[in-house]
Amino acid sequence: MTKLLTGRRLAKIASVAFCTIALSATSAFAADAVKLRISSPAVESDWHAKMLTVFKDELAKTAPGEFDVEIHLNASLFKQGTEPAAMQRGNLDMAMISAQDIAKQIPAWSVFSAGYLIRDPDHQKNVFTGDIGQKFYKMVADDMNIEILDVGYLGTRELNLANDKKITTPDDLDGVKLRMPGSDAWLFLGNALGADATPLAFGEVYTGLQTGTIDGQDNPLPTVKAVKFYEVTKQIVLTDHLVDAIFLSMAKDTYDDLTADQQKKVKDAAAVATAYNNEMRIADEKSLIDFFKDEGLKVYAPDVAAFRTKVQNAYLESDFAKDWPEGIVEQVNAVK
């Protein structure tokens, strides 16, 4: 009996020891995982929010246990526009940043915030995956200490107004308080369209439209649907004034700490995520005009040529153009 009990005790001790070692190994493995905190103002239903989940899932598949990805939506971690500074300070690992965000620190990037430059999603992808994109990405890495992983299509921006005044030319926007994000590049675009550009945080736009603090806002159609701006507006004017981009980015200090293999997996996961976003967003845009009409909104195209002429002339005569690399507009136009 004594021998039997001793054997059982030994087995139990061995089992406990094994579990302890296994738990310790698991804890050590988890501790070694690279934490990636991502901040975004996007709401959960938007495609570029879902894109982040695709990025996380792809990393979990290709690099199991190597990364601990935390996604913070609704600007719950950092307010829109503050993400680049947070990454530069070492307080944030990843974010989706805009050309307008970048232009605050690298004025040459304001060319990509100019209206009527990028023609469509394919043109956008070809510009940024080619020589032009690599040159501009290097500026961000060198001057901002941020590594751009890939570009995603954010949509073609349209005007979304709370009044029902018909908009045909830029003159019709005179006096219209058009919400824009609060950077010089964004505000310039709003004014170039003929409106009175008004800075307002994204999270305050719905209430601003509801209360009359602003008369309208501009965003791609999927965003208008995702955050339900159609509930507090009366019309969508299809100006097609900006084929917008979002750049999935990482603090360069975080990126440089990764192994070469991890860097490749991160960029590959970013490519899968942006491809998903682009496919879903393009399909979504095609279906949304009927949706908004069914919701009671007027949806129509103005004199786009008149808008294009006014906006392009405004940029070419502005201080922004002085910061653009010589010949960059022609180079972008030449990309097929």
Side-chain angles (χ1 to χ4, degrees):
M1 186 69 171
T2 303
K3 291 182 179 179
L4 181 59
L5 290 173
T6 301
R8 287 177 178 170
R9 288 195 185 110
L10 287 173
K12 184 176 182 181
I13 290 168
S15 176
V16 170
F18 175 81
C19 290
T20 301
I21 293 169
L23 286 171
S24 297
T26 301
S27 298
F29 187 68
D32 290 338
V34 178
K35 177 168 282 192
L36 297 177
R37 293 191 310 156
I38 309 176
S39 179
S40 173
V43 298
E44 187 176 1
S45 58
D46 211 341
W47 291 120
H48 58 291
K50 295 177 181 179
M51 175 178 78
L52 297 178
T53 299
V54 173
F55 172 79
K56 177 178 179 176
D57 292 345
E58 185 67 15
L59 272 185
K61 182 173 68 176
T62 61
E66 293 186 46
F67 295 93
D68 177 14
V69 180
E70 292 182 0
I71 301 170
H72 300 267
L73 302 178
N74 302 302
S76 58
L77 199 58
F78 290 97
K79 289 185 178 179
Q80 184 181 27
T82 67
E83 301 96 342
M87 286 191 285
Q88 290 169 309
R89 290 193 303 265
N91 296 333
L92 181 65
D93 301 299
M94 291 184 64
M96 297 182 292
I97 61 178
S98 68
Q100 290 80 0
D101 292 329
I102 298 169
K104 292 177 185 179
Q105 298 187 42
I106 306 176
W109 264 81
S110 67
V111 68
F112 296 117
S113 68
Y116 299 105
L117 178 66
I118 299 295
R119 297 188 296 270
D120 53 46
D122 286 339
H123 184 226
Q124 179 186 82
K125 196 74 174 180
N126 292 338
V127 167
F128 286 107
T129 56
D131 293 341
I132 294 172
Q134 297 316 302
K135 175 182 176 181
F136 276 81
Y137 285 2
K138 189 175 186 302
M139 291 182 197
V140 178
D142 292 345
D143 297 349
M144 294 179 66
N145 205 35
I146 291 174
E147 185 77 17
I148 293 178
L149 304 177
D150 209 338
V151 61
Y153 174 56
L154 188 56
T156 300
R157 298 181 80 95
E158 316 290 5
L159 298 185
N160 179 208
L161 306 177
N163 61 40
D164 55 8
K165 177 185 177 183
K166 187 172 179 61
I167 305 298
T168 303
T169 69
D171 290 342
D172 296 324
L173 289 175
D174 185 35
V176 172
K177 292 178 290 184
L178 181 66
R179 177 268 173 182
M180 302 297 283
S183 73
D184 290 343
W186 276 118
L187 295 171
F188 183 89
L189 175 57
N191 289 324
L193 288 166
D196 179 9
T198 304
L200 192 67
F202 185 77
E204 300 172 21
V205 173
Y206 187 99
T207 302
L209 290 166
Q210 200 172 34
T211 61
T213 301
I214 52 174
D215 302 315
Q217 64 90 34
D218 87 310
N219 260 299
L221 298 185
T223 301
V224 176
K225 181 184 179 184
V227 291
K228 300 186 177 181
F229 288 153
Y230 61 86
E231 294 180 343
V232 288
T233 54
K234 295 182 179 179
Q235 60 172 322
I236 292 173
V237 188
L238 300 173
T239 47
D240 294 347
H241 55 274
L242 185 67
V243 178
D244 210 357
I246 199 77
F247 298 90
L248 186 56
S249 305
M250 180 179 287
K252 197 166 189 307
D253 288 345
T254 301
Y255 183 79
D256 288 345
D257 283 342
L258 303 178
T259 66
D261 182 59
Q262 287 175 325
Q263 289 177 351
K264 182 180 185 305
K265 288 175 179 176
V266 161
K267 287 203 168 183
D268 287 348
V272 171
T274 55
Y276 165 85
N277 168 82
N278 293 7
E279 179 183 354
M280 302 307 294
R281 190 171 287 276
I282 291 168
D284 208 2
E285 282 183 323
K286 290 179 180 178
S287 68
L288 283 176
I289 290 178
D290 287 340
F291 170 82
F292 291 125
K293 287 181 178 179
D294 290 343
E295 290 294 322
L297 277 69
K298 298 177 183 176
V299 183
Y300 60 93
D303 183 348
V304 175
F307 275 95
R308 179 179 292 109
T309 298
K310 182 181 186 306
V311 170
Q312 287 185 344
N313 286 342
Y315 275 101
L316 291 173
E317 295 169 2
S318 74
D319 289 339
F320 287 111
K322 297 175 184 177
D323 295 315
W324 298 349
E326 186 176 355
I328 186 61
V329 173
E330 291 77 11
Q331 292 171 33
V332 171
N333 286 339
V335 174
K336 301 302 181 183

